[in-house]
Amino acid sequence: MSSNLLPPVALTLKQFMRRQQVLLLYRKILQAIRQVPNEQDRKYLQNWAREEFKRNKSATEEDIIRMMITQGNLQLKELEKTLNLAKA
């Protein structure tokens, strides 16, 4: 097995768990975006989500990461609410 496949520094348990939270949030956001009926809006939202996560990829401060996860969850709830209203 090549040592190039291993990360340069192993994550702590707390970092690993936070990473899992971020990945779960990302997947949930993309799943919600897939329900957007308008293709142009869907593409816009996919690009927006992708860029937001890329832009914040290098964040390392625990408090900032927690705040961003909280904001992401609030935005996800707003999107889900809007989609549910549009279906009704």
Side-chain angles (χ1 to χ4, degrees), residues 38-54:
N38 183 307
E39 184 178 348
Q40 189 175 8
D41 292 341
R42 191 169 48 246
K43 291 282 185 194
Y44 172 79
L45 289 170
Q46 286 171 340
N47 288 334
W48 167 80
R50 193 173 294 120
E51 289 303 314
E52 282 296 307
F53 277 84
K54 277 184 187 177

Side-chain angles (χ1 to χ4, degrees), residues 9 19 30 43 53 57 62 68 82:
V9 178
R19 182 176 187 273
L30 290 180
K43 291 282 185 194
F53 277 84
K57 181 180 179 179
E62 183 70 22
M68 287 188 288
T82 302

Side-chain angles (χ1 to χ4, degrees), residues 13-75:
L13 179 60
K14 185 182 272 188
Q15 290 170 328
F16 177 79
M17 291 173 65
R18 195 67 69 205
R19 182 176 187 273
Q20 295 304 96
Q21 284 181 309
V22 171
L23 292 173
L24 180 63
L25 175 61
Y26 185 65
R27 283 192 297 268
K28 285 181 176 180
I29 288 172
L30 290 180
Q31 287 172 351
I33 289 172
R34 278 190 217 116
Q35 297 175 22
V36 173
N38 183 307
E39 184 178 348
Q40 189 175 8
D41 292 341
R42 191 169 48 246
K43 291 282 185 194
Y44 172 79
L45 289 170
Q46 286 171 340
N47 288 334
W48 167 80
R50 193 173 294 120
E51 289 303 314
E52 282 296 307
F53 277 84
K54 277 184 187 177
R55 187 168 59 89
N56 295 305
K57 181 180 179 179
S58 60
T60 57
E61 197 169 321
E62 183 70 22
D63 291 338
I64 292 174
I65 294 170
R66 273 199 323 263
M67 179 196 68
M68 287 188 288
I69 291 171
T70 301
Q71 281 184 323
N73 280 317
L74 290 172
Q75 290 174 336

